[in-house]
Amino acid sequence: MKARKAVMPVAGFGTRFLPATRAVPKVLFPVLDTPPIHYAAREAVQAGIKRVVFVVSQRQEAVTGYFSRFSELEAALERASKSEMLHQMLAIPGMADFSCVLQREQRGLGHAILSARPQVGDEPFAVFLPDDLILTSQPVIGRMIDLAAEKGASVIAVRQVPDEMVPSLGIVDAERVEGHTYAVNRLVEKPALEDAPSNLAIIGRYVLTPQIFDELDVTDSGAGGEIQITDAIASLLRTQPVYAYEFPGVHFDVGTPLGLLKASIHAALQREDTAPALRAWLDAIDDVHEPAHPD
Ligand code: G1P
């Protein structure tokens, strides 16, 4: 069976973005003009996902608000004859069936995913970490959903990363079975570099069998004192195979200010309305000196 539902955990405090995240969830910060949560929803919908469940914390109404109708704006765009923009705005709430569950305590990514169990039920499902922005011509999650259905197993997205990133990610020990597909032997969350089995890191896309919920139910706190999805997948491996998909394309970690800035620049350089002016500014940037402040 193919996954038709997606879980998007967005409940974190976004401490790497303070002070901005005091008021606005980081998944709503714009990559040029489009928030990461919109990119994730678009990738899901392109892959045939019909239902998206956000796992939110208190004070995050803005995330579901983004996907609801905005009648005053629609009326204003209509009055101004901005029909193309109106069409785009109406399409957002219509992308999928959006709902949310409240994660009352911040007990980690595994705990957040477990909170969505009633909405997912007994079927395979996709998980998106919207901080991981992946730009490809074909949605990565679509390939993973197909692979998971073909193998009847869970599939995680992976990518080779440099040594300095290893201690901040989930790392897998895996062997290539064909093309970009690997069979996973072992997973470890945020290992010290000397303990890491490889440089193949988990990036925020998963297609999981529903048995993961039983594993999460009994998973103790792991790295950082949190309930980790990586540990639950490691337990799942005892009863089911797990595959990894090494995805092509461009990836940005938009969960950090620098990553968000890089993604915004990348997006602006792809667009006709912004690329020429940005290029000209970047070319001249060495010439820009801070004006002296008169005392
Ligand atoms: C989470 C996962 C980790 C994965 C990473 C990808 O970590 O626990 O295995 O490599 O996302 O972004 P976090 O970034 O939430 O600490």
Side-chain angles (χ1 to χ4, degrees), residues 43 46 134-141 159 245 247-250:
E43 184 184 330
Q46 283 173 353
I134 301 175
L135 304 173
T136 46
S137 49
Q138 298 293 319
V140 166
I141 203 76
R159 163 154 278 203
Y245 173 61
F247 60 93
V250 186

Side-chain angles (χ1 to χ4, degrees), residues 16 109 129 131-132 168-171 189-190 201-204 206 228-230:
R16 285 177 296 184
L109 178 57
L129 308 186
D131 278 359
D132 284 310
S168 58
L169 294 166
I171 301 293
E189 180 67 11
K190 300 189 174 75
I202 304 169
I203 306 296
Y206 308 75
Q228 299 288 353
I229 187 65
T230 304

